[in-house]
Amino acid sequence: MGIVIAILIFSIIVIFHEFGHFILAKKNGIRVNEFAVGMGPKLFGFKRGETDYVLRALPIGGACVMAGEDEDVTDEGTFNSKSVWARMSVVLAGPFFNFFLAFIFAVIIINFAGITPAEIGAVSENSPAEAAGLEAGDVIKEIDGENIHMFDELRMHMMLDPKAQYEVTYERDGQTYDTIVNTVTGSDGYPMMGVTAYVRKASFTEMFQYGFYEVKFNIELVFKSLAMLFQGKLTADDMAGPVGMAQIVNENYETAMDYGVSSAILTMMNIVVIFSANLGVMNLLPIPALDGGRFLFLIFEAIRGKPINREKEGFVNFVGFALLMVLMVFILFNDISRLF
């Protein structure tokens, strides 16, 4: 069942991403030849108006194929016949629709599950937090100079940067204080302060406020993870492709089902938030064949006042796509190896 849900989650995220491109293309008068979900062989499809709507065999991607997108043509209704600003909006629409999808699901989750602000619910006796003067009700504002809005941000900062002590800025009764909190190593191997979260119902405005914080948190987490990958703190074994992601969905689904259907639903929605934010960020990276790479070419065009040679751009995108396919095969091999 978890695998079926994983395919459904991937499909929702991809459809929303491509729908962003589709909507902005139509709004700017660009013909869309094909709107596809999945990659590989065509399973079935239908045509409505000028567009073929297609479902393909592999649920690992999708496409919004616009007229003249990779061709040196400027006929009416083609991608390159529109202004550079219009084309920028079309290219950016996919990733930003992913952020919007993540935001929608985050708000729904918060409505049912509440919020965990960066407020201390309880301080353990004889803990580092107690020694540092922290009390229940204190609101943590910063850790090591990094702004904190949610308790998850505190936990993630300590997981990504484990060390013996942290500089903490907190608020109590309207006053701001600074302290140094030493840590102990927990059973999971990560540092602990000895504080627990405070969960409460969100007000109407807080649902949207913390929905934004949740999406922002997931976006920043992707960038931090990429930085750690380049720094050698993470390896290829820490990366997950479609198979690995499906395994994550399945494991979380089975665990959540032990607590009931409502828990499983909220858990799956949370995975949509994480995966959709991830896809949005990854597509914005300035890599050829991705939306970020196309956007980079458009920035050069806006600066130069004339487009980059279409053949050269097409070649760069082709090479980028080929390299991405090689990377996907490598990650897929890693995913399958981990299964055994």
Side-chain angles (χ1 to χ4, degrees):
M1 185 64 179
I3 303 301
V4 174
I5 294 174
I7 292 173
L8 179 62
I9 287 174
F10 295 153
S11 298
I12 290 171
I13 292 171
V14 169
I15 289 170
F16 219 77
H17 177 95
E18 299 302 334
F19 188 62
H21 293 312
F22 180 85
I23 289 294
L24 266 292
K26 291 286 190 180
K27 184 173 180 61
N28 284 287
I30 300 171
R31 293 196 311 276
V32 178
N33 295 331
E34 181 180 298
F35 184 89
V37 177
M39 298 176 68
K42 176 181 175 180
L43 295 180
F44 64 85
F46 62 91
K47 185 164 186 173
R48 181 165 295 173
E50 64 193 17
T51 307
D52 286 312
Y53 297 88
V54 179
L55 178 65
R56 300 191 178 276
L58 303 176
I60 55 174
C64 175
V65 182
M66 293 167 276
E69 185 177 3
D70 293 312
E71 303 173 43
D72 192 10
V73 293
T74 55
D75 301 339
E76 181 62 29
T78 60
F79 182 75
N80 291 316
S81 69
K82 305 305 174 181
S83 71
V84 66
W85 309 110
R87 282 176 282 148
M88 282 182 174
S89 70
V90 174
V91 168
L92 291 179
F96 279 95
F97 262 57
N98 278 131
F99 298 145
F100 183 55
L101 176 66
F103 174 75
I104 292 171
F105 274 74
V107 170
I108 295 172
I109 293 169
I110 289 168
N111 180 53
F112 288 99
I115 57 174
T116 52
E119 181 176 340
I120 298 174
V123 176
S124 301
E125 284 188 37
N126 303 316
S127 66
E130 185 181 57
L134 294 175
E135 299 176 1
D138 291 345
V139 179
I140 298 178
K141 309 299 289 186
E142 294 180 6
I143 179 168
D144 290 342
E146 183 178 314
N147 289 333
I148 296 293
H149 300 100
M150 304 184 303
F151 204 83
D152 281 347
E153 292 174 308
L154 174 67
R155 274 195 289 248
M156 191 54 63
H157 181 92
M158 294 173 66
M159 289 178 67
L160 295 179
D161 185 21
K163 55 187 183 180
Q165 63 178 214
Y166 297 93
E167 297 177 14
V168 173
T169 299
Y170 64 97
E171 184 179 285
R172 180 188 299 166
D173 299 328
Q175 298 293 316
T176 301
Y177 304 91
D178 296 310
T179 188
I180 301 293
V181 183
N182 295 311
T183 61
V184 293
T185 302
S187 58
D188 57 2
Y190 292 105
M192 293 179 58
M193 292 183 180
V195 296
T196 56
Y198 169 61
V199 184
R200 64 175 174 82
K201 186 74 176 174
S203 68
F204 181 75
T205 55
E206 282 179 329
M207 285 193 299
F208 298 97
Q209 179 185 3
Y210 279 83
F212 171 79
Y213 288 155
E214 188 66 38
V215 176
K216 174 175 171 287
F217 166 68
N218 280 284
I219 291 172
E220 289 177 347
L221 184 56
V222 178
F223 282 113
K224 288 177 180 177
S225 299
L226 288 171
M228 292 176 69
L229 186 64
F230 283 110
Q231 293 166 3
K233 296 178 181 178
L234 295 177
T235 66
D237 290 336
D238 297 306
M239 300 171 65
V243 174
M245 293 164 71
Q247 188 179 11
I248 291 170
V249 172
N250 188 54
E251 290 173 354
N252 278 272
Y253 170 76
E254 291 181 349
T255 300
M257 278 300 292
D258 292 338
Y259 300 92
V261 175
S262 60
S263 176
I265 292 173
L266 289 175
T267 299
M268 293 302 98
M269 291 178 72
N270 190 53
I271 285 178
V272 172
V273 174
I274 296 168
F275 284 3
S276 193
N278 267 260
L279 180 64
V281 172
M282 297 306 291
N283 264 281
L284 283 176
L285 297 179
I287 298 173
L290 295 182
D291 294 328
R294 293 182 180 277
F295 184 67
L296 187 61
F297 276 112
L298 291 172
I299 290 176
F300 289 149
E301 180 178 337
I303 293 172
R304 296 171 74 238
K306 60 180 181 179
I308 306 294
N309 182 280
R310 304 293 183 200
E311 290 185 3
K312 292 180 180 178
E313 180 181 350
F315 176 74
V316 171
N317 283 326
F318 173 77
V319 171
F321 180 77
L323 292 174
L324 281 174
M325 290 300 101
V326 172
L327 178 61
M328 286 186 67
V329 170
F330 172 73
I331 294 174
L332 182 61
F333 176 79
N334 265 4
D335 284 348
I336 295 173
S337 297
R338 280 195 291 266
L339 289 177
F340 299 99

